[in-house]
Amino acid sequence: MKTSGNGISRKDFIRHSVLAVAGLTLIPNMMNASPFCDENSTSVKGKMSLKNVRLETGFEYQDGEVVSTKTDLFYVEVENGKITKIAPNQPNAKAVDAKGLLMLPAFKDMHIHLDKTFYGDQWQAVRKRTGGIKGMIELEQKMLPEMLKNSTFKAEKLIELLQSKGTSYARSHVNIEPTSKLQSLKNLQKALENKKKSFGAELVAFPQHGVFYTDSVPYLKEAAKMDIDFIGGVDPFNIDGDIEKVVDFTVQLALDNKKGIDIHLHETGDSGLKTVEYLIKKVNENTALKGKTYLSHCFVLGKLEAAKQEEIAEKLGEAQIGIVSTIPFGRLIMPIPTLYKHNVTVLTGNDSIVDHWNTFGTGSVLQKANLMAQLYGYSTEFLLSRSLKLATGNVLPLDDKGIRQWPKSGDKADFVLINASCSAEAVSRISEVESLVHDGNIVF
């Protein structure tokens, strides 16, 4: 860890400097010894100035190839949650000294389950699975009553982990089923209310135990009238045994309540393909759902022949159905370059972090961007820089021609200061996030 002249770490020095200029105070985090500000310490949403902010300004070319990214230092002003000014650097200004750190858009985790986690509680590894997906449903039914007792606390700790990795926004699926009823949703909403000044979220009403298999219908209908954004689903054929019945119900509930759709689809065989094709059909029939419908995982795409991948990707692009991929690796490689080719929106997330489904979540979506770049050979300066959009929810500092498009005056003040020379290095090295600002509030 680099240190400043007074012997403290560079990160802690910047944190103290930022907060001192903004008139705020560091509050130590109970989970670790390093200072970490919660929302109570960032309640002032006024004006903030930063100097020595590194921004990307263009590409350097040799023989027609991007070989490096140009940057310069700038002076940036933030007021009332917005970036209000970007000007040539003013090194002598009375302002937060960003120390030449690179400013990038804050990260977004677009597939996570904040409502059910072991994180913040006693360590537990994944147990041996039996009985497939329905066996896991039985396990959850036994575990959830105990997990719900402190799920608000654990959700807050998981949010703090995400923030420490530069994430200030998430799309969280939240269990809606007969065991939890609406309690999991209510507990998560309390956590999000407690963190509202430093973290944003959109919620998916998620029938983890099936729509009809455990009769989640009445709870989904009730949840749809609450403060949620998407109607979820999971493996319509494997769990409920009827693709059309489940998709029809989901589509109608979304339309009736003006919500989006985000369906977990793990099925890799014929039923998985039929689900994708039927959802495309229903979205094309109900155009209000275009741009508001997503398939999470959608592993079947990784099992199709190349020609079929192209066909389905083209149809997904035309229907404006996005894919939220957790970037699986091993024998299952998702056709993300093909999806990009056909203008399919691709998002990513950590999914499960230390729970009964998965032991290995890190909380970093920048790591997901790095993994994608490795899987698809995106090792050049240009392709690494493009890979950053997976972590930022498709916001990039430079467009494909090297013209700066972020930040600009009027943009939301959601950004990180990161120890990297450019986006390409940040992705390649999974560079350390030194500071996070959300909605103009300093998180750390």
Side-chain angles (χ1 to χ4, degrees), residues 260-276:
I261 292 172
D262 191 334
I263 297 175
H264 285 59
L265 185 62
H266 308 96
E267 300 175 39
T268 57
D270 187 56
S271 62
L273 180 57
K274 287 182 177 178
T275 300
V276 174

Side-chain angles (χ1 to χ4, degrees), residues 15-16 18-28 35-44 442-444:
R15 289 176 179 177
H16 281 283
V18 167
L19 293 165
V21 173
L24 303 174
T25 305
L26 280 168
I27 296 177
F36 191 96
C37 293
D38 69 8
E39 67 285 345
N40 294 321
S41 68
T42 60
S43 58
V44 179
I442 302 164
V443 181
F444 67 84

Side-chain angles (χ1 to χ4, degrees), residues 43 62 131 147 155 167 182 231 267 270 379 389:
S43 58
Q62 285 184 12
M147 292 178 73
T167 292
L182 299 178
I231 307 299
E267 300 175 39
D270 187 56
S379 57
K389 67 182 181 181

Side-chain angles (χ1 to χ4, degrees), residues 11 44 92 190 216 243 248 270 283 344 350 383 388 396:
K11 177 181 282 189
V44 179
N92 297 320
K190 289 179 185 176
S216 299
I243 295 168
D248 286 349
D270 187 56
V283 170
V344 177
N350 279 279
L383 290 175
L388 179 71
L396 287 174

Side-chain angles (χ1 to χ4, degrees), residues 44 113 191 214 261 275 305 325 336 361 363 376 401 417:
V44 179
H113 298 260
T214 59
I261 292 172
T275 300
E305 296 293 330
S325 178
I336 291 177
Y376 304 109
K401 295 181 179 179
L417 296 176

Side-chain angles (χ1 to χ4, degrees), residues 22-24 39-48 78-84 196-199 412-414 437-442:
L24 303 174
E39 67 285 345
N40 294 321
S41 68
T42 60
S43 58
V44 179
K45 190 205 269 190
K47 185 173 181 178
M48 177 173 62
V78 171
E79 189 169 8
N80 295 323
K82 300 284 187 182
I83 294 172
T84 56
K196 67 181 181 180
K197 292 184 178 67
S198 63
F199 194 80
K412 286 192 65 178
D414 297 339
V437 171
H438 172 75
D439 197 25
N441 293 314
I442 302 164

